[in-house]
Amino acid sequence: EAEVAQSPRYKITEKSQAVAFWCDPISGHATLYWYRQILGQGPELLVQFQDESVVDDSQLPKDRFSAERLKGVDSTLKIQPAELGDSAMYLCASSPGQFGSYTFGSGTRLTVV
Amino acid sequence: SQQGEEDPQALSIQEGENATMNCSYKTSINNLQWYRQNSGRGLVHLILIRSNEREKHSGRLRVTLDTSKKSSSLLITASRAADTASYFCATDEAAAGNKLTFGGGTRVLVKP
């Protein structure tokens, strides 16, 4: 069964350092999402891509977060500089199109110390 | 911001019992989806119910949707220890452009 690949699985970084996460969606899925999930809460959308274009990044803290999806395939989410409050699970998901279900990756657990 | 609110926040039951959790939302939707998340893992899609549907079944899962009350329920029948997980409802809002908004989740513990 096709999966959404994410790496790394875990990341520990010191505050003020830069960190990057990678996501490879299911082949052919045009829409890619990055969500952040704080422990004990539901996921919150950070950014949505349609192919290589950003559709929604209204909740992305743009002073420190950036996301790209070059060539409309895999995607990278970067945080620079990391803050203690960024500690969370970062989830990538993809979907084939409108009004369908999402397939999530296993996530990257970020701990900022 | 989170559109859906799950109730209860946590649920503890014995194996074999049924588990029911509810979700309320605020705006018009295209569909509502339920996901399961095992501890420390990604979310797994369980079931999608469209706005013009009232009930849907998948194995031991039964989902209802009442658009007049803006609410949904997920029933897990004959629960198993392996059903221990967090369950999230997510709404695909009509005006939001294919973007799922998740609730805070219900943490279910099934005791053997």
Side-chain angles (χ1 to χ4, degrees):
Chain A
E1 186 175 332
E3 294 183 346
V4 173
Q6 285 191 251
S7 67
R9 184 76 179 87
Y10 303 95
K11 180 70 177 178
I12 299 175
T13 191
E14 294 183 347
K15 63 181 180 179
S16 80
Q17 295 298 305
V19 63
F21 316 128
W22 176 80
C23 172
D24 191 12
I26 291 174
S27 178
H29 279 194
T31 314
L32 183 149
Y33 310 83
W34 284 100
Y35 281 83
R36 177 171 61 186
Q37 185 179 26
I38 296 169
L39 190 63
Q41 299 182 19
E44 291 191 301
L45 181 70
L46 291 175
V47 61
Q48 175 186 356
F49 287 94
Q50 180 70 29
D51 299 311
E52 68 275 9
S53 300
V54 173
V55 174
D56 185 349
D57 64 356
S58 58
Q59 299 303 311
L60 188 71
K62 299 181 189 63
D63 57 335
R64 298 184 299 108
F65 286 63
S66 64
E68 62 181 11
R69 191 184 183 195
L70 300 177
K71 301 182 181 178
V73 182
D74 59 338
S75 176
T76 302
L77 178 69
K78 297 179 182 177
I79 307 175
Q80 182 173 19
E83 296 180 352
L84 295 177
D86 296 331
S87 294
M89 175 79 89
Y90 290 82
L91 295 161
C92 179
S94 68
S95 71
Q98 279 195 326
F99 313 137
S101 63
Y102 291 11
T103 302
F104 279 84
S106 294
T108 296
R109 169 71 68 187
L110 173 68
T111 302
V112 183
V113 297
Chain B
S1 61
Q2 295 185 326
Q3 144 111 299
E5 294 291 335
E6 281 95 337
D7 171 57
Q9 291 188 334
L11 183 59
S12 180
I13 57 175
Q14 293 294 137
E15 207 165 25
E17 294 180 340
N18 295 341
T20 300
M21 59 211 84
N22 304 295
C23 170
S24 60
Y25 58 92
K26 299 171 184 171
T27 63
S28 295
I29 59 172
N30 295 311
N31 63 68
L32 185 144
Q33 304 181 29
W34 286 90
Y35 287 79
R36 183 187 73 225
Q37 185 178 36
N38 291 91
S39 181
R41 305 297 296 180
L43 282 78
V44 174
H45 178 257
L46 295 177
I47 200 163
L48 181 154
I49 186 164
R50 303 190 190 285
S51 60
N52 61 353
E53 298 175 312
R54 292 297 168 257
E55 187 171 313
K56 209 161 183 181
H57 297 255
S58 177
R60 295 183 295 111
L61 304 180
R62 172 178 169 256
V63 168
T64 62
L65 179 64
D66 186 335
T67 53
S68 66
K69 294 181 179 178
K70 290 187 170 60
S71 67
S72 175
S73 68
L74 171 66
L75 168 66
I76 305 172
T77 61
S79 64
R80 306 166 181 169
D83 294 328
T84 294
S86 291
Y87 293 82
F88 295 90
C89 72
T91 50
D92 190 335
E93 299 171 39
N98 192 33
K99 177 178 68 178
L100 284 183
T101 303
F102 286 83
T106 293
R107 278 148 280 285
V108 175
L109 172 63
V110 181
K111 293 179 282 188

